[in-house]
Amino acid sequence: MSPPPTAALSLSLSLLLLLLLSFSTTTTNAHNITRILAKYPQFSSFNHYLTATHLASQINRRQTITVLVLDNTAMSSLLSRHFSLYTLKNILSLHVIVDYFGSKKLHRISKRTTLASTMFQATGSAPGTSGFINITNLKGGKVGFGAEDNEGKLDATFVKSVKEIPYNISVIQISHPLDSAEAEAPTAPPSDLNLIEIMSKQGCKAFADLLKATGADKTFNQNLDAGLTVFCPTDRILKDFMPKYKNLTASKKKSLLLYHGIPVYMNMQLLKTNTGTMNTLATDGVDNFDFTVDKDDEVVTLDTSVVTAKITGIVKDEEPLIVYSINKVLLPKEIYKPVEAVSAPDEDAEAEADGPADSEATNDQTADDNSGVQVQGLGVKRLVMGALSLCIGMLLM
């Protein structure tokens, strides 16, 4: 028996509303400061140094954030003082507030002034309250900004709102850099990260030895400062794979090894929220050498179309480097024949082809941004379209 038209309409609209709310939550909780600023050439220098100092990835991981952005002219005055990259990171982190301040909130501050904590304070490197900034409503509707350790001086004023996603991220342009003796103090570089040594001591010695033998380690190390994620098959896994590895040509051996790295720092949270196609260190203008990141509950998988590997642990996580252990060697479809499985594969079976494939792989994926990462988020949209079809069907019953 069909439900009354009114009941069907109510049920349909309720279902659609729930799905739309789910879609809204999914899309608004994520932000990418690099992509936001890329639309504004006047902020290109600020955007570049957010990436170079790895602040961009830290900003993207925050649920609530406000970025006080400087245009190229203001950045030039800052860069003319020749700070090291590590000191510059502290200075720029003083321009990132760990709270949401949209334009309306800035102009309606209670008691006309407030102190806001920044990412410089959050690092633990800022002594006392030097990682706080003073935000004050001035006469004529202006808003002033100044570091707490700057004797009450307000160095900059509000220029305009660049981008606001309410209670998630606010990007505000200010007129001048914020001066802070503590943030500008010389900062020692972090201890050098030795990728080969780290992997050799953590159950990935066989993989590390192959990187050195082929010279692939040079490519990994060249990407280390800018951010690097490595997926390392453990020694036992690699031992079982060696007979197949030895049958490859020298160039294919190197490509296979480079396929286990992506040129950007991706911690577990970023991997889980940025599922989709990932370019790798092996990606070039001819062949894709990409794989698909997916997750099932808390398990993250890497699907190459030839084999699906699971991330089994974290070997090292010290930004800009993270090394994961995986339970299978990643086999690129550009070297091995893709598996066309009709039924669900045996979870314990090695879905590996016996022979190399032709080198002419389809080249239908291209890099979407400077980080080399592509995210395909069509699932929720398809769910909403399905809900609309369901609503229409119920109304026609």
Side-chain angles (χ1 to χ4, degrees):
M1 181 176 179
S2 301
T6 303
L9 177 60
S10 178
L11 179 61
S12 301
L13 291 178
S14 297
L15 178 59
L16 179 59
L17 179 60
L18 286 172
L19 288 170
L20 288 175
L21 285 173
S22 173
F23 174 70
S24 175
T25 302
T26 302
T27 55
T28 58
N29 281 349
H31 55 260
N32 187 310
I33 185 61
T34 303
R35 291 179 181 173
I36 290 172
L37 294 180
K39 299 177 182 180
Y40 305 93
Q42 66 269 35
F43 303 131
S44 60
S45 181
F46 188 89
N47 196 16
H48 167 75
Y49 282 100
L50 285 184
T51 300
T53 59
H54 303 292
L55 280 173
S57 60
Q58 295 177 34
I59 291 170
N60 292 341
R61 291 200 297 272
R62 292 274 183 169
Q63 293 291 325
T64 303
I65 205 83
T66 298
V67 182
L68 305 179
V69 65
L70 302 168
D71 66 16
N72 294 341
T73 301
M75 279 297 294
S76 294
S77 69
L78 183 62
L79 297 174
S80 67
R81 299 167 68 179
H82 305 292
F83 294 113
S84 72
L85 188 64
Y86 307 104
T87 299
L88 190 61
K89 179 177 182 177
N90 285 344
I91 296 171
L92 293 183
S93 65
L94 189 67
H95 293 69
V96 183
I97 304 171
V98 290
D99 195 359
Y100 181 83
F101 283 88
S103 179
K104 290 183 179 180
K105 183 176 178 179
L106 283 174
H107 288 85
R108 297 176 183 175
I109 293 175
S110 176
K111 298 182 181 179
R112 295 186 57 206
T113 186
T114 188
L115 285 179
S117 181
T118 69
M119 286 186 67
F120 182 45
Q121 185 73 24
T123 62
S125 301
T129 58
S130 59
F132 284 79
I133 63 172
N134 184 346
I135 306 174
T136 301
N137 288 157
L138 305 173
K139 293 181 179 180
K142 293 184 178 181
V143 180
F145 300 84
E148 173 65 5
D149 68 342
N150 199 26
E151 300 179 350
K153 181 182 177 183
L154 300 177
D155 303 305
T157 55
F158 172 88
V159 176
K160 66 179 179 180
S161 174
V162 178
K163 177 74 173 181
E164 294 184 21
I165 304 177
Y167 313 112
N168 183 211
I169 184 170
S170 174
V171 182
I172 302 294
Q173 182 185 355
I174 60 174
S175 59
H176 298 88
L178 302 179
D179 288 330
S180 165
E182 296 295 342
E184 295 166 9
T187 304
S191 57
D192 291 335
L193 293 169
N194 188 319
L195 177 62
I196 298 299
E197 182 178 338
I198 290 170
M199 291 194 297
S200 296
K201 292 180 178 179
Q202 300 292 332
C204 292
K205 186 178 186 305
F207 185 75
D209 289 344
L210 291 180
L211 292 184
K212 289 171 60 179
T214 59
D217 61 321
K218 295 178 181 178
T219 303
F220 279 81
N221 288 328
Q222 287 169 358
N223 285 272
L224 188 54
D225 288 342
L228 178 66
T229 300
V230 182
F231 301 98
C232 178
T234 59
D235 290 345
R236 183 184 63 81
I237 297 296
L238 202 55
K239 179 181 178 181
D240 295 339
F241 176 72
M242 285 307 295
K244 292 182 179 180
Y245 177 81
K246 291 177 180 178
N247 289 332
L248 298 176
T249 63
S251 63
K252 288 184 177 180
K253 287 178 180 177
K254 188 172 183 179
S255 293
L256 182 139
L257 296 173
L258 293 177
Y259 189 62
H260 288 72
I262 57 177
V264 64
Y265 172 83
M266 297 285 285
N267 64 14
M268 188 61 75
Q269 181 182 353
L270 288 172
L271 282 178
K272 289 179 179 179
T273 56
N274 289 277
T275 55
T277 303
M278 297 280 180
N279 290 331
T280 68
L281 294 178
T283 301
D284 57 31
V286 178
D287 294 318
N288 294 321
F289 280 103
D290 54 25
F291 54 72
T292 301
V293 176
D294 204 353
K295 71 181 180 75
D296 181 9
D297 196 13
E298 293 301 310
V299 178
V300 176
T301 61
L302 313 174
D303 182 5
T304 74
S305 297
V306 180
V307 64
T308 300
K310 293 180 182 179
I311 293 178
T312 56
I314 298 176
V315 175
K316 180 74 171 181
D317 184 2
E318 184 177 339
E319 195 171 355
L321 170 69
I322 186 165
V323 181
Y324 296 100
S325 59
I326 54 177
N327 70 337
K328 294 180 183 179
V329 176
L330 299 178
L331 304 181
K333 59 184 178 295
E334 288 79 4
I335 297 178
Y336 292 89
K337 296 175 182 178
V339 174
E340 297 180 1
V342 177
S343 59
D346 183 357
E347 187 172 330
D348 296 325
E350 290 285 339
E352 300 174 357
D354 291 330
D358 294 336
S359 60
E360 295 180 4
T362 55
N363 194 20
D364 59 351
Q365 303 285 343
T366 54
D368 224 5
D369 51 54
N370 292 333
S371 68
V373 179
Q374 293 178 324
V375 181
Q376 298 175 337
L378 300 178
V380 178
K381 293 180 181 178
R382 288 172 178 166
L383 186 62
V384 173
M385 292 303 296
L388 286 173
S389 299
L390 178 62
C391 291
I392 294 172
M394 292 183 70
L395 289 173
L396 293 176
M397 291 175 63

